[in-house]
Coordinates of all heavy atoms in Angstrom, one line a residue:
M829 N 126.6 19.5 21.6 CA 127.7 18.6 21.7 C 128.1 18.3 23.1 O 129.1 17.8 23.4 CB 128.9 19.2 21.0 CG 128.7 19.4 19.5 SD 130.3 19.8 18.7 CE 130.4 18.3 17.7
K830 N 127.2 18.6 24.1 CA 127.5 18.5 25.5 C 127.8 17.1 25.9 O 128.6 16.8 26.8 CB 126.3 19.0 26.3 CG 126.4 20.5 26.5 CD 125.4 20.9 27.6 CE 125.9 22.1 28.3 NZ 125.1 22.5 29.4
N831 N 127.1 16.1 25.2 CA 127.3 14.7 25.7 C 128.1 13.9 24.7 O 127.9 12.7 24.5 CB 125.9 14.1 25.9 CG 125.2 14.6 27.0 OD1 125.8 14.9 28.1 ND2 123.9 14.9 26.9
L832 N 129.1 14.5 24.1 CA 130.0 13.8 23.1 C 130.7 12.6 23.7 O 130.9 11.6 23.1 CB 131.0 14.8 22.5 CG 130.4 15.8 21.6 CD1 131.5 16.7 21.1 CD2 129.6 15.2 20.4
I833 N 131.2 12.8 25.0 CA 132.0 11.7 25.6 C 131.5 11.5 27.0 O 131.3 12.5 27.7 CB 133.5 12.2 25.6 CG1 134.0 12.4 24.2 CG2 134.3 11.1 26.3 CD1 135.4 13.0 24.2
K834 N 131.4 10.3 27.3 CA 131.0 9.9 28.7 C 132.2 9.2 29.3 O 132.7 8.2 28.7 CB 129.8 9.1 28.8 CG 128.6 9.9 28.3 CD 127.3 9.1 28.4 CE 126.2 10.0 27.9 NZ 124.9 9.3 27.9
I835 N 132.7 9.6 30.4 CA 133.9 9.0 31.0 C 133.4 8.1 32.1 O 132.5 8.4 32.9 CB 134.8 10.1 31.7 CG1 135.2 11.1 30.6 CG2 136.0 9.4 32.3 CD1 135.9 10.6 29.5
G836 N 133.9 6.8 32.1 CA 133.4 5.8 33.1 C 134.2 5.7 34.3 O 135.3 6.3 34.4
G837 N 133.7 4.9 35.2 CA 134.4 4.6 36.5 C 134.8 5.8 37.3 O 134.1 6.8 37.4
G838 N 136.0 5.7 37.9 CA 136.5 6.7 38.8 C 136.8 8.1 38.1 O 136.8 9.1 38.8
V839 N 137.0 8.1 36.8 CA 137.3 9.3 36.1 C 136.1 10.3 36.3 O 136.3 11.5 36.4 CB 137.6 9.0 34.7 CG1 137.9 10.3 33.9 CG2 138.8 8.1 34.6
A840 N 134.9 9.8 36.2 CA 133.7 10.6 36.3 C 133.7 11.3 37.7 O 133.3 12.5 37.8 CB 132.5 9.8 36.1
L841 N 134.1 10.6 38.7 CA 134.2 11.2 40.0 C 135.2 12.3 40.1 O 135.0 13.3 40.8 CB 134.6 10.1 41.1 CG 133.5 9.0 41.3 CD1 134.0 8.0 42.2 CD2 132.2 9.7 41.8
C842 N 136.3 12.2 39.4 CA 137.3 13.3 39.3 C 136.6 14.6 38.9 O 136.9 15.7 39.4 CB 138.4 13.0 38.4 SG 139.4 11.6 39.0
L843 N 135.8 14.5 37.9 CA 135.1 15.7 37.4 C 134.1 16.3 38.4 O 134.0 17.5 38.5 CB 134.3 15.4 36.1 CG 135.1 15.1 34.9 CD1 134.2 14.7 33.7 CD2 136.0 16.3 34.5
A844 N 133.5 15.4 39.2 CA 132.6 15.9 40.2 C 133.3 16.7 41.2 O 132.8 17.7 41.8 CB 131.9 14.7 40.9
F845 N 134.5 16.3 41.5 CA 135.3 17.1 42.5 C 136.1 18.3 41.9 O 136.6 19.1 42.7 CB 136.3 16.1 43.2 CG 135.7 15.1 44.0 CD1 135.9 13.7 43.7 CD2 134.9 15.4 45.1 CE1 135.2 12.7 44.4 CE2 134.3 14.4 45.8 CZ 134.4 13.1 45.5
A846 N 136.1 18.3 40.6 CA 136.9 19.4 40.0 C 136.2 20.8 40.1 O 136.9 21.8 39.9 CB 137.2 19.0 38.5
G847 N 135.0 20.8 40.3 CA 134.3 22.1 40.4 C 133.6 22.4 39.0 O 133.9 21.9 38.0
A848 N 132.6 23.3 39.1 CA 131.8 23.6 37.9 C 132.6 24.3 36.8 O 132.5 23.9 35.6 CB 130.7 24.6 38.3
S849 N 133.5 25.2 37.1 CA 134.3 25.8 36.1 C 135.2 24.9 35.4 O 135.3 24.9 34.2 CB 135.1 27.0 36.7 OG 136.0 27.6 35.8
A850 N 135.9 24.0 36.2 CA 136.8 23.1 35.6 C 136.0 22.0 34.7 O 136.5 21.6 33.7 CB 137.6 22.3 36.6
A851 N 134.9 21.7 35.2 CA 134.0 20.7 34.4 C 133.6 21.3 33.1 O 133.6 20.7 32.1 CB 132.8 20.3 35.3
A852 N 133.2 22.6 33.1 CA 132.8 23.3 31.9 C 134.0 23.4 30.9 O 133.8 23.1 29.7 CB 132.3 24.7 32.2
D853 N 135.2 23.7 31.4 CA 136.4 23.7 30.6 C 136.7 22.4 30.0 O 137.1 22.2 28.8 CB 137.6 24.2 31.4 CG 137.5 25.7 31.7 OD1 136.7 26.4 31.1 OD2 138.3 26.1 32.6
F854 N 136.5 21.3 30.8 CA 136.8 20.0 30.3 C 135.8 19.6 29.3 O 136.1 19.0 28.3 CB 136.7 19.0 31.5 CG 136.9 17.6 31.1 CD1 138.1 17.1 30.7 CD2 135.8 16.7 31.1 CE1 138.3 15.8 30.2 CE2 136.0 15.4 30.6 CZ 137.3 15.0 30.2
Q855 N 134.5 19.9 29.4 CA 133.5 19.6 28.4 C 133.8 20.3 27.1 O 133.7 19.6 26.1 CB 132.1 20.1 28.9 CG 131.0 19.7 28.0 CD 130.8 18.2 28.0 OE1 130.8 17.5 29.0 NE2 130.6 17.6 26.9
E856 N 134.3 21.5 27.2 CA 134.7 22.2 25.9 C 135.9 21.5 25.3 O 135.9 21.3 24.1 CB 135.0 23.6 26.3 CG 135.4 24.5 25.0 CD 135.7 25.9 25.3 OE1 135.2 26.4 26.3 OE2 136.4 26.5 24.6
S857 N 136.8 21.1 26.1 CA 138.0 20.3 25.5 C 137.5 19.0 24.9 O 138.0 18.6 23.8 CB 139.0 20.0 26.6 OG 139.6 21.2 27.1
M858 N 136.6 18.3 25.5 CA 136.1 17.1 24.9 C 135.5 17.3 23.6 O 135.7 16.6 22.6 CB 135.0 16.4 25.9 CG 135.6 15.9 27.1 SD 134.4 14.8 28.0 CE 133.0 15.9 28.2
S859 N 134.7 18.3 23.5 CA 134.0 18.6 22.2 C 135.0 19.0 21.1 O 134.9 18.5 20.0 CB 133.0 19.8 22.4 OG 132.0 19.5 23.3
K860 N 136.0 19.8 21.4 CA 137.0 20.2 20.5 C 137.8 18.9 20.0 O 138.1 18.8 18.8 CB 138.0 21.2 21.0 CG 137.3 22.6 21.1 CD 138.3 23.6 21.7 CE 137.6 24.9 21.9 NZ 138.5 25.9 22.5
C861 N 138.2 18.1 20.9 CA 139.0 16.9 20.6 C 138.3 16.0 19.7 O 138.8 15.5 18.7 CB 139.4 16.2 21.9 SG 140.7 17.1 22.9
L862 N 137.0 15.7 20.0 CA 136.3 14.8 19.2 C 136.0 15.3 17.8 O 136.2 14.7 16.8 CB 134.9 14.4 19.9 CG 134.1 13.3 19.2 CD1 134.9 12.1 19.0 CD2 132.9 13.1 20.0
T863 N 135.6 16.6 17.7 CA 135.4 17.2 16.4 C 136.6 17.3 15.6 O 136.5 17.0 14.4 CB 134.8 18.7 16.7 OG1 133.6 18.6 17.4 CG2 134.5 19.4 15.3
K864 N 137.8 17.5 16.2 CA 139.0 17.6 15.4 C 139.5 16.2 14.9 O 140.0 16.1 13.8 CB 140.1 18.2 16.3 CG 141.5 18.3 15.7 CD 142.5 19.0 16.6 CE 143.8 19.1 15.9 NZ 144.8 19.7 16.8
H865 N 139.3 15.2 15.7 CA 139.9 13.9 15.4 C 139.0 12.8 14.9 O 139.5 11.8 14.3 CB 140.7 13.4 16.6 CG 141.8 14.2 17.0 ND1 143.0 14.3 16.3 CD2 141.9 15.0 18.1 CE1 143.8 15.2 16.9 NE2 143.2 15.6 18.0
A866 N 137.7 12.8 15.1 CA 136.8 11.7 14.8 C 135.5 12.2 14.3 O 135.1 13.4 14.4 CB 136.7 10.8 16.0
N867 N 134.7 11.3 13.8 CA 133.3 11.6 13.3 C 132.4 11.5 14.5 O 132.2 10.5 15.1 CB 132.9 10.6 12.3 CG 131.6 10.9 11.6 OD1 130.8 11.6 12.2 ND2 131.4 10.3 10.5
T868 N 131.8 12.6 14.8 CA 130.9 12.7 16.0 C 129.6 11.9 15.9 O 128.9 11.6 16.9 CB 130.5 14.2 16.3 OG1 129.7 14.7 15.2 CG2 131.7 15.0 16.6
R869 N 129.3 11.4 14.7 CA 128.1 10.5 14.5 C 128.4 9.1 14.9 O 127.5 8.3 15.1 CB 127.6 10.6 13.1 CG 127.1 12.0 12.8 CD 126.7 12.1 11.3 NE 128.0 11.9 10.6 CZ 128.2 12.4 9.4 NH1 127.4 13.1 8.8 NH2 129.4 12.2 8.8
D870 N 129.7 8.7 14.9 CA 130.1 7.3 15.2 C 130.2 7.1 16.7 O 130.6 8.0 17.4 CB 131.4 6.9 14.5 CG 131.2 6.8 13.0 OD1 130.1 6.7 12.5 OD2 132.3 6.9 12.3
A871 N 130.0 5.9 17.1 CA 130.2 5.5 18.5 C 131.5 4.7 18.6 O 131.8 4.0 17.7 CB 129.0 4.7 19.0
A872 N 132.2 4.8 19.7 CA 133.4 4.0 19.9 C 133.7 4.0 21.4 O 133.2 4.8 22.2 CB 134.5 4.7 19.2
V873 N 134.5 3.0 21.8 CA 135.0 2.9 23.1 C 136.6 2.8 23.0 O 137.1 2.0 22.2 CB 134.5 1.6 23.8 CG1 135.1 1.4 25.2 CG2 133.0 1.7 23.9
V874 N 137.2 3.6 23.9 CA 138.7 3.6 23.9 C 139.2 3.4 25.3 O 138.6 4.1 26.2 CB 139.3 4.9 23.3 CG1 140.8 4.9 23.4 CG2 138.8 5.1 21.9
M875 N 140.1 2.6 25.6 CA 140.7 2.4 26.9 C 142.2 2.9 26.8 O 143.0 2.4 26.0 CB 140.7 0.9 27.3 CG 141.4 0.7 28.6 SD 140.5 1.3 30.1 CE 139.2 0.2 30.2
L876 N 142.5 3.9 27.7 CA 143.8 4.4 27.8 C 144.5 3.9 29.1 O 143.8 3.6 30.1 CB 143.8 5.9 27.9 CG 143.2 6.7 26.7 CD1 143.3 8.2 27.0 CD2 143.9 6.3 25.4
E877 N 145.8 3.9 29.1 CA 146.5 3.6 30.3 C 147.5 4.8 30.4 O 148.2 5.1 29.5 CB 147.3 2.3 30.3 CG 148.1 2.0 31.5 CD 148.8 0.7 31.5 OE1 149.9 0.7 30.9 OE2 148.2 -0.3 32.0
C878 N 147.5 5.5 31.6 CA 148.2 6.8 31.7 C 148.9 6.8 33.1 O 148.5 6.0 34.0 CB 147.3 8.0 31.7 SG 146.2 8.1 30.2
N879 N 149.8 7.7 33.3 CA 150.4 8.0 34.6 C 149.7 9.2 35.1 O 149.6 10.2 34.4 CB 151.9 8.3 34.4 CG 152.7 7.1 33.9 OD1 152.5 6.0 34.4 ND2 153.5 7.3 32.9
A880 N 149.2 9.1 36.3 CA 148.6 10.3 37.0 C 149.5 10.8 38.0 O 150.1 10.1 38.9 CB 147.3 9.8 37.7
E881 N 149.7 12.2 38.0 CA 150.6 12.8 38.9 C 150.3 14.3 38.9 O 150.1 14.9 37.8 CB 152.0 12.6 38.6 CG 153.0 13.2 39.6 CD 154.5 12.8 39.3 OE1 154.7 11.9 38.5 OE2 155.3 13.5 39.9
A882 N 150.2 14.9 40.1 CA 150.0 16.4 40.2 C 148.8 16.8 39.5 O 148.7 17.9 38.9 CB 151.2 17.1 39.7
G883 N 147.7 16.0 39.6 CA 146.4 16.4 39.0 C 146.3 16.3 37.5 O 145.3 16.7 36.9
K884 N 147.3 15.7 36.8 CA 147.3 15.6 35.4 C 147.6 14.2 35.0 O 148.2 13.4 35.7 CB 148.3 16.5 34.8 CG 148.1 18.0 35.0 CD 147.1 18.6 34.1 CE 147.0 20.1 34.3 NZ 145.9 20.6 33.6
L885 N 147.3 13.9 33.7 CA 147.7 12.6 33.1 C 148.8 12.8 32.1 O 148.9 13.8 31.5 CB 146.5 12.0 32.3 CG 145.3 11.6 33.2 CD1 144.2 11.1 32.3 CD2 145.7 10.4 34.1
S886 N 149.7 11.8 32.1 CA 150.8 11.9 31.1 C 151.2 10.5 30.6 O 150.8 9.5 31.2 CB 152.1 12.6 31.8 OG 152.5 11.8 32.8
G887 N 151.9 10.5 29.6 CA 152.4 9.2 29.1 C 151.3 8.2 28.7 O 151.5 7.0 28.8
C888 N 150.2 8.7 28.2 CA 149.1 7.9 27.9 C 149.3 7.0 26.7 O 150.0 7.5 25.7 CB 147.8 8.7 27.7 SG 147.2 9.6 29.1
K889 N 148.8 5.8 26.7 CA 148.9 4.9 25.5 C 147.5 4.3 25.4 O 146.8 4.0 26.4 CB 150.0 3.9 25.6 CG 149.8 2.9 26.8 CD 151.0 2.0 26.8 CE 150.9 1.1 28.0 NZ 152.0 0.2 28.2
V890 N 147.2 3.9 24.2 CA 145.9 3.3 23.9 C 146.0 1.8 24.0 O 146.9 1.2 23.4 CB 145.4 3.6 22.4 CG1 144.1 2.9 22.1 CG2 145.3 5.1 22.2
L891 N 145.2 1.2 24.9 CA 145.1 -0.2 25.1 C 144.1 -0.9 24.2 O 144.3 -2.0 23.7 CB 144.8 -0.5 26.6 CG 145.8 -0.1 27.6 CD1 145.3 -0.5 29.0 CD2 147.2 -0.6 27.4
E892 N 143.0 -0.2 24.0 CA 141.9 -0.8 23.2 C 141.2 0.4 22.5 O 141.1 1.5 23.0 CB 140.8 -1.5 24.1 CG 141.3 -2.7 24.8 CD 140.3 -3.3 25.7 OE1 139.1 -3.2 25.4 OE2 140.7 -3.8 26.8
D893 N 140.8 0.1 21.2 CA 140.0 1.0 20.4 C 139.0 0.3 19.6 O 139.4 -0.5 18.7 CB 141.0 1.8 19.5 CG 140.4 2.9 18.7 OD1 139.1 3.0 18.7 OD2 141.1 3.6 18.0
S894 N 137.8 0.4 19.9 CA 136.7 -0.4 19.2 C 136.6 0.0 17.7 O 136.0 -0.7 16.9 CB 135.4 -0.3 19.9 OG 134.9 1.1 19.8
K895 N 137.0 1.2 17.3 CA 136.9 1.7 15.9 C 138.3 2.1 15.5 O 138.5 3.3 15.1 CB 136.0 2.9 15.8 CG 134.6 2.6 16.2 CD 133.8 2.1 14.9 CE 132.4 1.8 15.3 NZ 131.4 2.3 14.3
A896 N 139.3 1.2 15.5 CA 140.6 1.5 15.1 C 140.7 2.1 13.7 O 139.9 1.8 12.8 CB 141.5 0.2 15.1
G897 N 141.5 3.1 13.6 CA 141.7 3.8 12.3 C 140.7 4.9 12.1 O 140.7 5.6 11.0
K898 N 139.8 5.2 13.0 CA 138.7 6.2 12.8 C 139.0 7.5 13.6 O 138.1 8.4 13.6 CB 137.4 5.6 13.2 CG 136.9 4.4 12.4 CD 136.5 4.8 11.0 CE 136.0 3.6 10.3 NZ 135.5 3.9 9.0
G899 N 140.1 7.6 14.3 CA 140.5 8.8 15.0 C 140.1 8.9 16.4 O 140.4 9.9 17.1
F900 N 139.3 7.9 16.9 CA 138.9 8.0 18.3 C 140.1 7.8 19.3 O 140.0 8.3 20.4 CB 137.8 6.9 18.6 CG 136.5 7.3 17.9 CD1 136.2 6.7 16.7 CD2 135.7 8.2 18.5 CE1 135.0 7.0 16.1 CE2 134.5 8.5 17.9 CZ 134.1 7.9 16.7
D901 N 141.1 7.1 18.9 CA 142.3 7.0 19.7 C 143.0 8.4 19.9 O 143.3 8.7 21.0 CB 143.3 6.0 19.1 CG 143.7 6.3 17.7 OD1 143.0 7.1 17.0 OD2 144.8 5.8 17.2
K902 N 143.0 9.1 18.8 CA 143.6 10.5 18.9 C 142.7 11.4 19.7 O 143.2 12.2 20.5 CB 143.8 11.1 17.5 CG 144.9 10.4 16.8 CD 145.0 10.9 15.3 CE 146.0 10.0 14.6 NZ 145.9 10.2 13.2
A903 N 141.4 11.3 19.6 CA 140.5 12.1 20.4 C 140.6 11.8 21.8 O 140.6 12.7 22.7 CB 139.0 11.8 19.9
A904 N 140.7 10.5 22.2 CA 140.9 10.1 23.6 C 142.2 10.6 24.2 O 142.2 11.1 25.3 CB 140.8 8.6 23.7
L905 N 143.3 10.5 23.4 CA 144.5 11.1 23.9 C 144.5 12.6 24.1 O 145.0 13.1 25.1 CB 145.7 10.7 23.0 CG 146.0 9.2 22.9 CD1 146.9 8.9 21.7 CD2 146.7 8.8 24.2
C906 N 143.8 13.3 23.2 CA 143.6 14.7 23.3 C 142.7 15.0 24.6 O 143.1 15.9 25.4 CB 142.8 15.2 22.1 SG 142.4 17.0 22.0
V907 N 141.7 14.3 24.8 CA 140.8 14.5 26.0 C 141.6 14.3 27.3 O 141.5 15.0 28.3 CB 139.6 13.6 26.0 CG1 138.9 13.6 27.3 CG2 138.7 14.0 24.9
A908 N 142.5 13.2 27.3 CA 143.3 12.9 28.5 C 144.2 14.1 28.9 O 144.4 14.3 30.1 CB 144.2 11.7 28.2
D909 N 144.6 14.9 27.9 CA 145.4 16.1 28.3 C 144.7 17.1 29.2 O 145.3 17.8 29.9 CB 145.9 16.8 27.0 CG 147.0 16.0 26.3 OD1 147.7 15.2 26.9 OD2 147.2 16.3 25.1
A910 N 143.4 17.1 29.0 CA 142.5 18.1 29.8 C 141.8 17.5 31.0 O 141.2 18.2 31.7 CB 141.5 18.7 28.8
L911 N 141.9 16.2 31.2 CA 141.2 15.5 32.2 C 141.8 15.8 33.6 O 142.9 15.4 33.9 CB 141.2 14.0 32.0 CG 140.4 13.1 32.9 CD1 138.9 13.4 32.7 CD2 140.6 11.6 32.6
P912 N 141.0 16.4 34.5 CA 141.5 16.7 35.8 C 141.5 15.4 36.7 O 140.5 14.6 36.6 CB 140.5 17.6 36.4 CG 139.2 17.4 35.6 CD 139.6 16.9 34.3
M913 N 142.6 15.1 37.4 CA 142.7 13.9 38.1 C 142.8 14.0 39.6 O 142.9 13.1 40.3 CB 144.0 13.1 37.7 CG 143.9 12.5 36.3 SD 142.5 11.4 36.0 CE 142.9 10.1 37.2
G914 N 142.7 15.2 40.1 CA 142.7 15.4 41.5 C 144.0 15.0 42.1 O 145.1 15.2 41.6
S915 N 143.9 14.2 43.2 CA 145.2 13.8 43.9 C 145.6 12.4 43.5 O 146.5 11.8 44.1 CB 145.0 13.9 45.4 OG 143.9 13.0 45.8
K916 N 144.9 11.8 42.6 CA 145.2 10.4 42.1 C 146.6 10.4 41.6 O 147.0 11.2 40.8 CB 144.2 10.0 41.1 CG 144.4 8.6 40.6 CD 143.4 7.7 41.2 CE 143.5 6.3 40.6 NZ 143.5 5.3 41.5
T917 N 147.4 9.3 42.0 CA 148.7 9.2 41.4 C 148.9 7.7 41.0 O 148.2 6.8 41.5 CB 149.8 9.5 42.5 OG1 149.7 8.7 43.6 CG2 149.7 11.0 42.9
G918 N 149.9 7.5 40.2 CA 150.2 6.2 39.7 C 149.7 5.9 38.3 O 149.1 6.8 37.6
V919 N 149.7 4.6 37.9 CA 149.2 4.2 36.6 C 147.7 4.0 36.8 O 147.2 3.3 37.7 CB 149.9 2.9 36.2 CG1 149.3 2.4 34.9 CG2 151.4 3.1 36.0
V920 N 147.0 4.6 35.8 CA 145.5 4.5 35.9 C 145.0 4.1 34.5 O 145.6 4.4 33.5 CB 144.8 5.8 36.3 CG1 145.1 6.1 37.7 CG2 145.2 6.9 35.4
K921 N 143.9 3.3 34.5 CA 143.2 3.0 33.2 C 142.1 4.0 33.1 O 141.3 4.2 34.0 CB 142.8 1.6 33.2 CG 143.9 0.6 33.0 CD 143.5 -0.8 32.8 CE 144.7 -1.7 32.7 NZ 144.4 -3.1 32.5
V922 N 141.9 4.5 31.9 CA 140.9 5.5 31.7 C 140.0 5.1 30.5 O 140.4 5.1 29.4 CB 141.6 6.9 31.3 CG1 140.5 8.0 31.1 CG2 142.6 7.3 32.3
P923 N 138.8 4.6 30.9 CA 137.9 4.2 29.8 C 137.1 5.4 29.3 O 136.7 6.3 30.1 CB 136.9 3.3 30.5 CG 136.9 3.7 32.0 CD 138.3 4.3 32.2
M924 N 137.0 5.5 28.0 CA 136.2 6.6 27.4 C 135.2 6.0 26.4 O 135.6 5.2 25.6 CB 137.1 7.6 26.6 CG 138.1 8.3 27.6 SD 138.9 9.6 26.7 CE 140.0 10.1 28.0
R925 N 134.0 6.5 26.5 CA 132.9 6.0 25.6 C 132.4 7.2 24.8 O 132.0 8.2 25.3 CB 131.7 5.4 26.3 CG 130.7 4.9 25.4 CD 129.6 4.1 26.2 NE 128.6 4.9 26.8 CZ 127.6 5.5 26.1 NH1 127.5 5.4 24.8 NH2 126.7 6.2 26.8
F926 N 132.5 7.1 23.5 CA 132.0 8.1 22.6 C 130.7 7.6 22.1 O 130.6 6.7 21.3 CB 133.0 8.3 21.4 CG 134.4 8.8 21.8 CD1 135.3 7.9 22.3 CD2 134.7 10.1 21.8 CE1 136.6 8.3 22.6 CE2 136.0 10.6 22.2 CZ 136.9 9.6 22.6
P927 N 129.6 8.2 22.5 CA 128.2 7.6 22.2 C 127.8 7.8 20.8 O 126.9 7.1 20.3 CB 127.3 8.4 23.2 CG 128.0 9.6 23.5 CD 129.5 9.4 23.4
G928 N 128.4 8.8 20.0 CA 127.9 9.0 18.7 C 126.6 9.7 18.6 O 126.0 10.0 19.6
G929 N 126.1 9.9 17.4 CA 124.8 10.5 17.2 C 124.7 12.0 17.2 O 123.7 12.6 17.0
A930 N 125.9 12.7 17.4 CA 125.8 14.1 17.4 C 125.8 14.7 16.0 O 126.3 14.2 15.1 CB 127.0 14.7 18.2

């Protein structure tokens, strides 16, 4: 389940700077969130808009969900709680791609 979610754009860079331990913890959180809320065999794309502050995301809302009603919105919001943001602050858009096939 290592490749359950691929984060696009600048969010992927945040993981690169987060360090190996934080990245492993984040990968585990991604797997748990997807398994809990959505079907891991389905593919979906979700766009969130969140507030970034103090290395964390808060106040996230779903802007787009390619598989509305299938739980990917909840999985993305769950993942956002664990996503390390480094020193980024302000309103950010967070694209998440769930590739399916697991």
Side-chain angles (χ1 to χ4, degrees):
M829 297 194 114
K830 277 192 153 185
N831 292 319
L832 291 177
I833 300 172
K834 293 181 182 177
I835 306 299
V839 177
L841 292 175
C842 293
L843 290 176
F845 294 118
S849 176
D853 290 343
F854 177 72
Q855 186 66 44
E856 184 177 333
S857 294
M858 288 191 309
S859 296
K860 287 180 182 178
C861 290
L862 186 56
T863 301
K864 180 178 179 180
H865 296 289
N867 186 337
T868 60
R869 292 175 299 210
D870 291 339
V873 176
V874 178
M875 177 67 75
L876 301 179
E877 183 177 84
C878 306
N879 296 311
E881 186 175 342
K884 299 280 184 184
L885 294 174
S886 65
C888 294
K889 62 182 178 180
V890 177
L891 297 179
E892 297 175 33
D893 181 355
S894 68
K895 295 274 180 136
K898 300 287 185 176
F900 289 98
D901 56 340
K902 292 176 185 160
L905 291 168
C906 177
V907 169
D909 287 339
L911 185 65
M913 289 305 297
S915 61
K916 181 102 175 137
T917 60
V919 176
V920 295
K921 289 188 179 177
V922 183
M924 296 193 187
R925 184 172 81 77
F926 299 84

